[in-house]
Amino acid sequence: MKKKLPLYAKILIGMGVGLIWGILATPLGLTEFTHDWIRPFGTIFINCLKLIAVPLIIVSLIDGVSNLSDVSKLSRMGGKTIALYIGTTILAVTIGLTLVNMIDPGKYLSEDRRDYLRETFASDLDTSIVTAHSTKEQGPLQILVNIVPDNLFNSFSDNTNMLQVIFFSILFGVAMIMSPKEKVAPVKSFFDGANTVILSIVNIIMMYAPVGVFALLASLNIDLELLKALSVYSLNVVLGLAVMVFVSYPLILKAFTKVRYARFMKAVLPAQILGFSTSSSAATLPITMDCAEKNLGVSEEVSSFVLPLGATINMDGTSIHQGVSAVFIAQAFGIDLSIGQQLTILMTAVLASIGAAAVPGAGIIMLIIVLESVGLDPAGLALILAVDRPLDMLRTAVNVTGDSTIAAVIASSENEIKSEEELAAIKSKAEANQS
Ligand code: ASP
């Protein structure tokens, strides 16, 4: 029998062909064709992912939490998860700040370039500043208030209210543990069954992923000219992201788990590719969970709790980008930031990445708050808007890798992760059943 190409290989091919198309479309005069006939297939793919995200969180979180034998395990896991998320975020901003101070990309930008970039992106900037200000005007505890919904259906109907959905699902799951077993049994089996159905829907959507990824990348209109102008800055961000993925995460995995790094990377590759193509950790969430459970062997109990939370509050890639960008903009303005100011950037960037929504371009909007925290003119953002999309794609891929790393760490610490051998045995059994 001919060996079938694995799904991740098909997605990789879709990504490669899409990127080539994206670069060639403008010079070949295919922009309109791409917009009318290719882009919609990408939008359909993103819609499918968003469509399943909320039901997936509700069902899998309720199912996962209600499987816990006691509430104390949940609070232990919650404490560890949040501590690790904050720890890796601080590490990420520190890496970004260290590299940008060493490389000093601001000095490579000529005065003319700066003026040109500022003028070209002035109008995009206005909307970002308004959005950032409305976030900033809220009090410090507003984040907490926002987590608790006053109307369940409003939160279910808005994909940006992920923390509210998580809050309600945990509440529901905890209440199930606390209720008499016999009474809750039908509810439990309903969520068990619904969970299986939703995972099958995720599988169906994934079959379409190679086409969706192709369409998304093909319609990007990549502007190589601008990319070149900001190349040192972009390379600085990319280097920071690479340090996180190729140095920090392997060390974390080695210290806290038995998972081999190569196996980890192979397991999470589909989620990274989707993070890259969609620029949204939230849209990628169904696949991140699928990869963690099926490929890494993380239990559903852990993945359904750690990953939705991570998609919303843990953004290591975004944090690196914030650190590098804030200092780069200061350098481009010829301003020397003191150590105290860089510490302020560190703190604000950590909070900004927690507050940033897991959607395309969210990081750059939160960057305005970081810039203002050290008195930098937010108009400086215009310098980097041109390259934000490609950098957003990369940082989102890092964001989902970071979430998956912590899922592996928490699962290992709770003894909730299958070994390579166990996973292989499950796979060969499933294959035998199929044939
Ligand atoms: N697009 C990123 C994400 O969804 C957030 C950002 O803009 O950095 O993870």
Side-chain angles (χ1 to χ4, degrees):
M1 204 179 75
K2 227 171 73 192
K3 208 165 175 328
K4 267 202 336 212
L5 210 57
L7 183 64
Y8 75 87
K10 287 188 203 158
I11 302 179
L12 267 177
I13 294 173
M15 180 170 135
V17 181
L19 270 178
I20 295 172
W21 188 293
I23 293 170
L24 294 182
T26 316
L28 295 181
L30 288 171
T31 326
E32 210 181 310
F33 174 81
T34 310
H35 183 272
D36 291 348
W37 293 98
I38 295 187
R39 196 184 147 114
F41 293 103
T43 314
I44 291 176
F45 180 53
I46 298 234
N47 285 355
C48 288
L49 289 169
K50 286 186 178 162
L51 168 75
I52 205 63
V54 170
L56 175 76
I57 298 180
I58 298 169
V59 172
S60 67
L61 204 51
I62 292 180
D63 199 38
V65 171
S66 63
N67 276 335
L68 294 173
S69 42
D70 59 287
V71 181
S72 68
K73 182 167 178 192
L74 181 69
S75 54
R76 190 181 63 224
M77 225 161 68
K80 276 193 287 194
T81 307
I82 292 177
L84 281 170
Y85 278 158
I86 295 181
T88 48
T89 306
I90 294 178
L91 175 69
V93 189
T94 312
I95 291 175
L97 285 176
T98 313
L99 287 174
V100 72
N101 279 297
M102 278 162 50
I103 298 173
D104 195 1
K107 70 173 182 228
Y108 296 95
L109 216 57
S110 69
E111 192 64 42
D112 290 351
R113 260 298 167 208
R114 279 179 226 168
D115 292 345
Y116 168 72
L117 289 168
R118 244 181 257 141
E119 274 161 31
T120 322
F121 292 96
S123 61
D124 291 358
L125 191 64
D126 290 344
T127 22
S128 302
I129 294 182
V130 172
T131 321
H133 278 163
S134 63
T135 314
K136 205 182 151 197
E137 270 156 26
Q138 302 164 343
L141 289 184
Q142 193 59 35
I143 295 191
L144 275 185
V145 175
N146 287 349
I147 293 176
V148 187
D150 62 356
N151 181 318
L152 200 56
F153 294 97
N154 282 350
S155 18
F156 285 179
S157 65
D158 181 352
N159 274 7
T160 56
N161 284 338
M162 207 92 102
L163 282 178
Q164 298 188 348
V165 176
I166 295 175
F167 174 83
F168 177 77
S169 308
I170 294 179
L171 185 66
F172 197 96
V174 169
M176 276 171 72
I177 304 176
M178 292 163 70
S179 309
K181 270 212 172 59
E182 354 42 91
K183 286 251 165 78
V184 181
V187 184
K188 177 96 191 69
S189 43
F190 167 78
F191 279 106
D192 269 346
N195 200 20
T196 314
V197 175
I198 298 232
L199 291 180
S200 303
I201 299 181
V202 172
N203 284 340
I204 298 172
I205 298 175
M206 279 309 279
M207 286 190 236
Y208 175 64
V211 178
V213 166
F214 161 75
L216 283 173
L217 295 180
S219 41
L220 266 187
N221 285 333
I222 299 162
D223 188 337
L224 289 178
E225 197 40 48
L226 280 170
L227 218 64
K228 243 189 347 217
L230 292 169
S231 53
V232 183
Y233 154 76
S234 308
L235 283 177
N236 194 155
V237 175
V238 174
L239 185 65
L241 298 175
V243 170
M244 200 68 197
V245 173
F246 299 113
V247 182
S248 309
Y249 294 149
L251 290 177
I252 293 173
L253 284 172
K254 196 157 176 62
F256 300 109
T257 74
K258 289 202 184 85
V259 181
R260 280 184 311 114
Y261 179 65
R263 185 185 144 223
F264 171 82
M265 286 302 266
K266 191 168 167 221
V268 301
L269 184 67
Q272 291 171 325
I273 297 176
L274 277 191
F276 180 80
S277 331
T278 61
S279 284
S280 165
S281 320
T284 312
L285 181 64
I287 313 310
T288 320
M289 288 173 67
D290 197 54
C291 290
E293 287 167 25
K294 282 211 205 109
N295 306 349
L296 264 183
V298 171
S299 75
E300 195 201 327
E301 208 172 282
V302 171
S303 88
S304 68
F305 175 74
V306 175
L307 291 171
L309 200 64
T312 358
I313 69 166
N314 184 48
M315 296 191 183
D316 298 339
T318 303
S319 314
I320 291 173
H321 177 259
Q322 307 245 339
V324 175
S325 305
V327 177
F328 169 72
I329 290 170
Q331 290 168 348
F333 285 162
I335 299 171
D336 247 343
L337 293 172
S338 67
I339 296 284
Q341 280 173 312
Q342 302 226 13
L343 278 177
T344 309
I345 292 184
L346 176 85
M347 270 166 47
T348 332
V350 169
L351 292 176
S353 80
I354 294 175
V359 295
I364 195 107
I365 294 178
M366 297 311 270
L367 184 60
I368 294 177
I369 296 173
V370 179
L371 292 177
E372 288 187 329
S373 73
V374 285
L376 287 169
D377 182 356
L381 204 72
L383 297 178
I384 56 169
L385 273 179
V387 282
D388 193 54
R389 183 64 197 209
L391 294 182
D392 192 5
M393 296 161 78
L394 287 169
R395 65 183 187 247
T396 308
V398 176
N399 289 347
V400 301
T401 314
D403 299 341
S404 308
T405 307
I406 302 305
V409 172
I410 300 286
S412 301
S413 77
E414 295 286 333
N415 236 338
E416 295 274 355
I417 190 162
K418 291 191 187 74
S419 69
E420 236 166 307
E421 296 73 34
E422 283 170 304
L423 273 179
I426 294 173
K427 206 168 156 205
S428 61
K429 205 167 144 199
E431 277 167 6
N433 278 347
Q434 255 178 11
S435 54

